[in-house]
Amino acid sequence: MSRINRQTTDADQPPKAGDEKRAFDRLKAALTEAFAAPDMAYQPLTAAEVIARNRR
């Protein structure tokens, strides 16, 4: 039988105290900022434009 060596990743580790709250707070702030903009500030984007923007 062979053994497979596997590196542990952050996903394998239990969340540290406060990680979930900080992630939630970041999401809440981003959503608050996004929805605070007036409707005229929104511009239509294609899926390709969103993907390219998020790669930066």
Side-chain angles (χ1 to χ4, degrees):
M1 277 187 136
S2 66
R3 288 178 49 138
I4 298 173
N5 290 331
R6 186 170 78 90
Q7 291 181 330
T8 55
T9 63
D10 288 340
D12 295 328
Q13 302 298 319
K16 294 179 181 150
D19 283 353
E20 224 174 272
K21 179 167 179 6
R22 282 190 291 277
F24 176 77
D25 289 341
R26 283 192 305 272
L27 175 60
K28 184 177 167 185
L31 289 172
T32 299
E33 180 181 348
F35 286 99
D39 288 343
M40 297 298 290
Y42 291 101
Q43 294 189 344
L45 296 174
T46 65
E49 291 170 322
V50 172
I51 292 168
R53 178 187 67 190
N54 290 331
R55 286 189 178 161
R56 292 182 226 150

Coordinates of all heavy atoms in Angstrom, one line a residue:
M1 N 0.8 -1.2 0.0 CA 0.0 0.0 0.0 C 0.9 1.2 0.0 O 1.9 1.3 0.7 CB -0.9 0.0 1.2 CG -2.1 -0.7 1.2 SD -3.1 -0.4 2.6 CE -4.6 -0.2 1.9
S2 N 0.4 2.2 -0.8 CA 1.2 3.5 -0.8 C 0.4 4.5 0.0 O -0.8 4.5 0.1 CB 1.4 3.9 -2.2 OG 0.2 4.3 -2.8
R3 N 1.2 5.4 0.6 CA 0.6 6.5 1.3 C 0.6 7.8 0.5 O 1.6 8.0 -0.2 CB 1.3 6.7 2.6 CG 1.0 5.6 3.6 CD 1.8 5.9 4.9 NE 1.6 7.2 5.4 CZ 1.4 7.6 6.6 NH1 1.4 6.6 7.5 NH2 1.3 8.8 7.0
I4 N -0.4 8.5 0.5 CA -0.4 9.8 -0.2 C -0.1 10.9 0.8 O -0.8 11.1 1.8 CB -1.8 10.0 -0.9 CG1 -2.0 8.9 -1.9 CG2 -1.8 11.4 -1.6 CD1 -3.4 9.0 -2.5
N5 N 1.0 11.6 0.5 CA 1.3 12.8 1.3 C 0.5 13.9 0.8 O 0.5 14.2 -0.3 CB 2.8 13.1 1.2 CG 3.7 12.0 1.9 OD1 3.2 11.4 2.8 ND2 4.9 11.8 1.4
R6 N -0.1 14.6 1.8 CA -1.0 15.7 1.4 C -0.6 16.9 2.3 O -0.5 16.8 3.5 CB -2.4 15.3 1.7 CG -3.4 16.3 1.2 CD -4.8 15.7 1.3 NE -5.3 15.6 2.6 CZ -6.1 16.6 3.2 NH1 -6.3 17.7 2.5 NH2 -6.5 16.5 4.4
Q7 N -0.4 18.1 1.6 CA -0.1 19.3 2.4 C -1.4 19.8 3.0 O -2.5 19.7 2.4 CB 0.5 20.3 1.5 CG 1.9 20.0 1.1 CD 2.4 21.1 0.2 OE1 1.7 21.8 -0.5 NE2 3.7 21.3 0.2
T8 N -1.4 20.3 4.2 CA -2.6 20.9 4.8 C -2.7 22.3 4.2 O -1.7 23.0 4.0 CB -2.5 20.9 6.3 OG1 -1.3 21.6 6.7 CG2 -2.5 19.5 6.9
T9 N -3.9 22.7 4.1 CA -4.2 24.0 3.6 C -5.0 24.7 4.7 O -5.4 24.1 5.7 CB -5.1 24.0 2.3 OG1 -6.3 23.4 2.6 CG2 -4.3 23.2 1.2
D10 N -5.2 26.0 4.4 CA -6.0 26.8 5.4 C -7.4 26.2 5.5 O -8.1 26.3 6.5 CB -6.1 28.3 4.9 CG -4.8 29.0 5.1 OD1 -4.0 28.5 5.9 OD2 -4.6 30.0 4.5
A11 N -7.9 25.6 4.4 CA -9.3 25.1 4.4 C -9.4 23.9 5.4 O -10.4 23.5 5.9 CB -9.7 24.6 3.0
D12 N -8.2 23.2 5.6 CA -8.2 22.1 6.5 C -8.1 22.5 8.0 O -8.4 21.6 8.9 CB -6.9 21.2 6.2 CG -7.0 20.6 4.9 OD1 -8.1 20.3 4.4 OD2 -5.9 20.4 4.3
Q13 N -7.8 23.7 8.3 CA -7.7 24.2 9.6 C -9.0 24.7 10.1 O -9.8 25.3 9.4 CB -6.6 25.3 9.7 CG -5.3 24.9 9.2 CD -4.7 23.7 10.0 OE1 -4.8 23.7 11.2 NE2 -4.1 22.8 9.3
P14 N -9.3 24.5 11.4 CA -10.5 25.1 12.0 C -10.4 26.7 11.9 O -9.3 27.2 12.1 CB -10.6 24.6 13.4 CG -9.2 24.2 13.7 CD -8.5 23.8 12.4
P15 N -11.5 27.4 11.8 CA -11.4 28.8 11.7 C -10.9 29.4 13.1 O -11.2 28.8 14.1 CB -12.8 29.3 11.5 CG -13.7 28.1 11.5 CD -12.8 26.9 11.6
K16 N -10.1 30.4 13.0 CA -9.6 31.1 14.2 C -10.7 32.0 14.8 O -11.5 32.4 14.1 CB -8.3 31.9 13.9 CG -7.2 31.0 13.4 CD -6.0 31.8 13.1 CE -4.9 30.9 12.6 NZ -4.0 31.5 11.7
A17 N -10.6 32.2 16.0 CA -11.6 33.1 16.7 C -11.6 34.4 16.0 O -10.6 35.1 15.8 CB -11.2 33.2 18.2
G18 N -12.8 34.9 15.6 CA -12.9 36.2 15.0 C -12.9 36.2 13.5 O -13.2 37.2 12.9
D19 N -12.3 35.1 12.9 CA -12.2 35.1 11.4 C -13.6 35.3 10.7 O -13.7 36.1 9.8 CB -11.6 33.8 10.9 CG -10.1 33.8 11.1 OD1 -9.5 34.8 11.5 OD2 -9.5 32.7 10.9
E20 N -14.5 34.6 11.2 CA -15.9 34.6 10.6 C -16.5 36.0 10.8 O -17.1 36.5 9.8 CB -16.8 33.6 11.3 CG -17.6 32.8 10.3 CD -18.3 31.7 10.9 OE1 -17.8 30.6 11.0 OE2 -19.5 31.9 11.3
K21 N -16.3 36.6 12.0 CA -16.9 37.9 12.2 C -16.2 39.0 11.3 O -16.9 39.8 10.7 CB -16.7 38.3 13.7 CG -17.3 39.7 13.9 CD -17.4 40.0 15.4 CE -18.0 41.4 15.7 NZ -18.4 42.2 14.7
R22 N -14.9 38.9 11.2 CA -14.2 39.8 10.3 C -14.6 39.7 8.9 O -14.8 40.7 8.2 CB -12.7 39.7 10.5 CG -12.1 40.3 11.7 CD -10.6 40.3 11.7 NE -10.0 39.0 11.9 CZ -9.8 38.3 13.0 NH1 -10.2 38.9 14.1 NH2 -9.3 37.2 13.0
A23 N -14.8 38.4 8.4 CA -15.2 38.2 7.0 C -16.6 38.8 6.8 O -16.9 39.4 5.8 CB -15.2 36.7 6.7
F24 N -17.5 38.6 7.8 CA -18.8 39.1 7.7 C -18.8 40.6 7.7 O -19.5 41.2 6.9 CB -19.7 38.6 8.9 CG -21.1 39.2 8.9 CD1 -22.0 38.7 8.0 CD2 -21.4 40.2 9.8 CE1 -23.3 39.3 8.0 CE2 -22.7 40.8 9.8 CZ -23.6 40.3 8.9
D25 N -18.0 41.2 8.6 CA -17.9 42.7 8.6 C -17.4 43.3 7.3 O -17.9 44.3 6.8 CB -17.0 43.1 9.8 CG -17.7 42.9 11.1 OD1 -18.9 42.7 11.2 OD2 -17.0 42.9 12.1
R26 N -16.5 42.6 6.6 CA -16.0 43.1 5.3 C -17.1 43.0 4.3 O -17.3 43.9 3.5 CB -14.8 42.2 4.9 CG -13.5 42.6 5.6 CD -12.3 42.0 4.9 NE -12.3 40.5 4.8 CZ -12.0 39.7 5.7 NH1 -11.4 40.1 6.8 NH2 -12.1 38.4 5.5
L27 N -17.8 41.9 4.3 CA -18.9 41.7 3.3 C -20.0 42.7 3.6 O -20.5 43.3 2.6 CB -19.5 40.3 3.5 CG -20.7 40.0 2.6 CD1 -20.4 40.2 1.1 CD2 -21.2 38.6 2.9
K28 N -20.3 42.9 4.8 CA -21.4 43.9 5.2 C -21.0 45.3 4.7 O -21.8 46.1 4.1 CB -21.6 43.9 6.7 CG -22.7 44.8 7.1 CD -22.9 44.6 8.6 CE -23.7 45.7 9.2 NZ -23.8 45.6 10.7
A29 N -19.7 45.7 4.9 CA -19.2 47.0 4.5 C -19.2 47.1 3.0 O -19.6 48.2 2.4 CB -17.8 47.2 5.0
A30 N -18.8 46.1 2.3 CA -18.9 46.1 0.8 C -20.3 46.2 0.3 O -20.5 47.0 -0.7 CB -18.2 44.9 0.2
L31 N -21.2 45.5 0.8 CA -22.6 45.6 0.4 C -23.2 46.9 0.7 O -23.9 47.5 -0.1 CB -23.4 44.5 1.0 CG -23.1 43.1 0.5 CD1 -23.8 42.0 1.3 CD2 -23.5 43.0 -1.0
T32 N -22.9 47.5 1.9 CA -23.4 48.8 2.3 C -22.9 49.8 1.3 O -23.7 50.7 0.8 CB -23.0 49.1 3.7 OG1 -23.5 48.2 4.6 CG2 -23.5 50.5 4.1
E33 N -21.6 49.8 1.0 CA -21.1 50.8 0.0 C -21.7 50.6 -1.4 O -22.1 51.6 -2.0 CB -19.6 50.6 -0.1 CG -18.9 51.6 -1.0 CD -17.4 51.3 -1.1 OE1 -16.8 50.6 -0.3 OE2 -16.8 51.9 -2.0
A34 N -21.9 49.4 -1.8 CA -22.4 49.1 -3.2 C -23.8 49.6 -3.3 O -24.2 50.2 -4.3 CB -22.3 47.6 -3.5
F35 N -24.6 49.4 -2.3 CA -26.1 49.7 -2.4 C -26.3 51.2 -2.0 O -27.4 51.7 -2.1 CB -26.9 48.8 -1.6 CG -27.1 47.4 -2.3 CD1 -26.3 46.3 -1.9 CD2 -28.0 47.3 -3.3 CE1 -26.4 45.1 -2.6 CE2 -28.1 46.1 -4.0 CZ -27.3 45.0 -3.6
A36 N -25.3 51.9 -1.5 CA -25.5 53.3 -1.1 C -25.3 54.2 -2.4 O -25.8 55.3 -2.3 CB -24.4 53.7 -0.1
A37 N -24.8 53.7 -3.4 CA -24.6 54.5 -4.6 C -26.0 54.7 -5.3 O -26.9 53.9 -5.3 CB -23.7 53.7 -5.6
P38 N -26.1 55.9 -5.9 CA -27.4 56.3 -6.6 C -27.5 55.4 -7.8 O -26.5 54.9 -8.4 CB -27.2 57.7 -6.9 CG -25.8 58.0 -6.8 CD -25.2 57.1 -5.9
D39 N -28.7 55.2 -8.3 CA -29.0 54.3 -9.4 C -28.2 54.8 -10.7 O -27.8 54.0 -11.5 CB -30.5 54.2 -9.7 CG -31.2 53.4 -8.7 OD1 -30.6 52.6 -8.0 OD2 -32.5 53.5 -8.7
M40 N -28.0 56.1 -10.8 CA -27.3 56.6 -11.9 C -25.8 56.2 -12.0 O -25.2 56.3 -13.0 CB -27.4 58.2 -12.0 CG -28.8 58.7 -12.1 SD -29.6 58.2 -13.7 CE -28.7 59.2 -14.8
A41 N -25.3 55.8 -10.8 CA -23.9 55.4 -10.7 C -23.6 54.0 -11.3 O -22.5 53.7 -11.6 CB -23.4 55.5 -9.3
Y42 N -24.7 53.2 -11.4 CA -24.5 51.9 -11.9 C -24.3 51.8 -13.4 O -24.9 52.6 -14.1 CB -25.7 51.0 -11.5 CG -25.9 50.8 -10.0 CD1 -26.8 51.5 -9.3 CD2 -25.1 49.8 -9.4 CE1 -26.9 51.3 -7.9 CE2 -25.2 49.6 -8.0 CZ -26.1 50.4 -7.3 OH -26.2 50.1 -6.0
Q43 N -23.4 51.0 -13.8 CA -23.1 50.8 -15.3 C -23.2 49.3 -15.6 O -22.7 48.5 -14.8 CB -21.8 51.3 -15.6 CG -21.6 52.8 -15.4 CD -20.3 53.3 -16.0 OE1 -19.4 52.6 -16.3 NE2 -20.3 54.6 -16.2
P44 N -23.9 49.0 -16.7 CA -24.0 47.6 -17.1 C -22.6 47.0 -17.4 O -21.8 47.7 -18.0 CB -24.9 47.6 -18.3 CG -24.9 49.0 -18.8 CD -24.5 49.9 -17.6
L45 N -22.3 45.8 -17.0 CA -21.1 45.1 -17.3 C -21.4 43.8 -17.9 O -22.4 43.1 -17.5 CB -20.3 44.9 -16.0 CG -19.7 46.2 -15.3 CD1 -19.1 45.8 -14.0 CD2 -18.8 47.0 -16.2
T46 N -20.5 43.3 -18.8 CA -20.6 41.9 -19.3 C -19.9 41.0 -18.3 O -19.1 41.5 -17.4 CB -20.0 41.8 -20.6 OG1 -18.5 42.0 -20.5 CG2 -20.5 42.8 -21.7
A47 N -20.2 39.7 -18.4 CA -19.5 38.8 -17.5 C -18.0 38.8 -17.7 O -17.2 38.8 -16.8 CB -20.0 37.4 -17.8
A48 N -17.6 39.0 -19.0 CA -16.1 39.1 -19.2 C -15.5 40.3 -18.5 O -14.4 40.2 -18.0 CB -15.9 39.2 -20.7
E49 N -16.2 41.4 -18.5 CA -15.7 42.6 -17.8 C -15.6 42.4 -16.3 O -14.6 42.8 -15.7 CB -16.6 43.8 -18.1 CG -16.5 44.3 -19.6 CD -17.6 45.3 -19.9 OE1 -18.7 45.2 -19.4 OE2 -17.3 46.2 -20.7
V50 N -16.6 41.7 -15.7 CA -16.5 41.4 -14.3 C -15.4 40.5 -14.0 O -14.6 40.7 -13.0 CB -17.9 40.8 -13.8 CG1 -17.8 40.4 -12.4 CG2 -19.0 41.9 -14.0
I51 N -15.2 39.5 -14.8 CA -14.1 38.5 -14.5 C -12.8 39.2 -14.7 O -11.9 39.1 -13.8 CB -14.2 37.3 -15.5 CG1 -15.4 36.5 -15.2 CG2 -12.9 36.5 -15.5 CD1 -15.8 35.5 -16.2
A52 N -12.6 40.1 -15.7 CA -11.3 40.8 -15.9 C -11.1 41.7 -14.7 O -10.0 41.9 -14.2 CB -11.4 41.5 -17.2
R53 N -12.1 42.4 -14.3 CA -12.0 43.4 -13.2 C -11.6 42.7 -11.9 O -10.7 43.1 -11.1 CB -13.3 44.1 -12.9 CG -13.3 45.1 -11.8 CD -14.6 45.6 -11.5 NE -15.5 44.6 -11.0 CZ -16.8 44.7 -10.8 NH1 -17.4 45.8 -11.1 NH2 -17.5 43.7 -10.3
N54 N -12.1 41.5 -11.6 CA -11.8 40.8 -10.4 C -10.4 40.1 -10.4 O -10.0 39.6 -9.4 CB -12.9 39.8 -10.1 CG -14.2 40.5 -9.7 OD1 -14.1 41.6 -9.1 ND2 -15.3 39.9 -9.9
R55 N -9.8 40.0 -11.6 CA -8.5 39.4 -11.7 C -7.4 40.3 -11.2 O -6.3 39.9 -11.0 CB -8.2 38.9 -13.1 CG -8.9 37.7 -13.4 CD -8.5 37.1 -14.7 NE -9.2 35.9 -15.0 CZ -9.4 35.3 -16.2 NH1 -8.8 35.8 -17.2 NH2 -10.1 34.2 -16.3
R56 N -7.7 41.6 -11.2 CA -6.7 42.6 -10.8 C -6.5 42.6 -9.4 O -7.1 42.3 -8.5 CB -7.2 44.0 -11.2 CG -7.3 44.2 -12.7 CD -7.7 45.6 -13.0 NE -8.7 45.5 -14.0 CZ -9.7 46.3 -14.2 NH1 -9.8 47.3 -13.4 NH2 -10.5 46.2 -15.2

